[in-house]
Amino acid sequence: GAGPRTAEIWEFPLDGSEAQRLVENTNGSPAPLVSSPAPGAYGAAPTAAGGLYYTSVTPRPYGSRQGASSEVRHFDPASGEDSAVTLGSGMTMKPLPAPDGSFLVYATEVRGRTGLKLRETDTGDERWLAYPIQRHQLEARATRDVLPNYAISRDGRTVYAAHGGKIRAIDVTSGESSVVPFTADVRLETQPRLNFPRRVDTGPIRPRRYQRLAAARDGTLAIATTGRIY
C-alpha cells in the first residue's frame, strides 16, 4: 500500500477481513523531485518462519549530491521487531529468501552496476550469482519496486531472473547461467507512421540572432552568429 508518495507494507487477509498496516514509512517526507522514489518499504518477501524481508528506501535529499539509499530489513509480525540486516557493503535491496531459509538472495550496487548476491544463512558467506544485471530504479520513481521480481525454485537449486533481454536460470551451486527458451505470440496495433517530409535549404541563410557585438575605433563592427565571427 502507499500514502501520498510514500511506500508501506500492508496485510490483506484472504477471508476479506480488515487490512492492517505492517510496516509504515519511517524514512521522512517525499523528495520534491519527479525522478525520485517514494520513501518507505518496498517488496515484501515472506520467510518460512513467518517474518518479512523488505527494502527500506530513502530518496535523495533535495539539493544534495548524495543519491538515494536503501537497505534490507527484517520485520517480525509476531513481535513487531523491525531491524536492519547486515549484508555485504554498500546499498542492499530486493531480498528473497530460499524456501527452506538456507540462504538469502539480494541485490547490491558495486562500481556503479547492480548485481545479485547469495548469502548463506548458517555461515554468513556471500558470493555473486549474477553481475551485472539491469540497473536498479533508485534514480527513478521506482513505481514498480526497485528491481523486477525474480524467483527461487521450490528445491532451492535455481534462481530465475530476467536481465539482458532474456529469462535466465542461475544455478545456485555453480553460479552458471543459462537462457530459458521463451516465445510468445504477440499481436499489437500500431499507429500510422509519422512522416513529415521537409526540404532543408542548402543555400545562403539569413541569421536571426547576433551575439558579442564589438566596435573598433574606425567604426568597424564584429559580430558572432551561426558559429562564426563576421
Side-chain angles (χ1 to χ4, degrees):
R5 287 283 291 155
T6 61
E8 301 173 335
I9 296 177
W10 285 68
E11 180 183 57
F12 292 84
L14 296 178
D15 59 8
S17 56
E18 185 177 358
Q20 62 174 333
R21 182 173 58 189
L22 298 182
V23 181
E24 63 178 330
N25 168 45
T26 58
N27 296 336
S29 302
L33 300 171
V34 174
S35 61
S36 180
Y42 288 74
T47 69
L52 292 174
Y53 285 107
Y54 69 93
T55 307
S56 178
V57 173
T58 302
R60 175 168 72 89
Y62 183 72
S64 171
R65 291 186 177 183
Q66 183 69 30
S69 61
S70 68
E71 66 174 355
V72 170
R73 298 186 67 87
H74 179 268
F75 174 73
D76 183 359
S79 64
E81 182 181 357
D82 191 333
S83 58
V85 180
T86 303
L87 298 168
S89 60
M91 292 193 301
T92 57
M93 66 195 82
K94 197 64 177 178
L96 185 63
D100 62 359
S102 60
F103 63 85
L104 175 71
V105 178
Y106 69 96
T108 185
E109 179 186 311
V110 175
R111 297 189 296 274
R113 295 185 174 186
T114 309
L116 293 178
K117 268 191 169 183
L118 182 145
R119 179 183 178 88
E120 300 287 352
T121 303
D122 293 338
T123 64
D125 294 339
E126 295 190 1
R127 52 189 167 87
W128 286 106
L129 276 181
Y131 178 86
I133 58 174
Q134 75 177 63
R135 182 71 178 168
H136 61 69
Q137 294 296 302
L138 292 180
E139 296 174 355
R141 289 179 63 87
T143 56
R144 294 171 178 80
D145 210 341
V146 294
L147 271 178
N149 287 331
Y150 56 96
I152 302 175
S153 61
R154 292 184 178 181
D155 59 11
R157 296 179 179 179
T158 308
V159 173
Y160 295 97
H163 60 91
K166 302 289 184 179
I167 300 175
R168 302 177 186 272
I170 307 170
D171 186 273
V172 169
T173 302
S174 66
E176 294 183 359
S177 174
S178 60
V179 175
V180 178
F182 174 79
T183 60
D185 295 327
V186 180
R187 186 174 184 177
L188 297 175
E189 294 184 3
T190 60
Q191 298 298 322
R193 179 181 177 183
L194 299 178
N195 185 18
F196 301 98
R198 289 182 177 273
R199 182 182 179 88
V200 179
D201 293 333
T202 58
I205 63 172
R206 175 176 294 179
R208 299 182 181 180
R209 185 172 183 177
Y210 302 91
Q211 297 176 313
R212 300 187 178 278
L213 175 66
R217 292 182 179 180
D218 62 1
T220 305
L221 297 178
I223 57 173
T225 185
T226 64
R228 296 185 178 182
I229 299 176
Y230 295 88

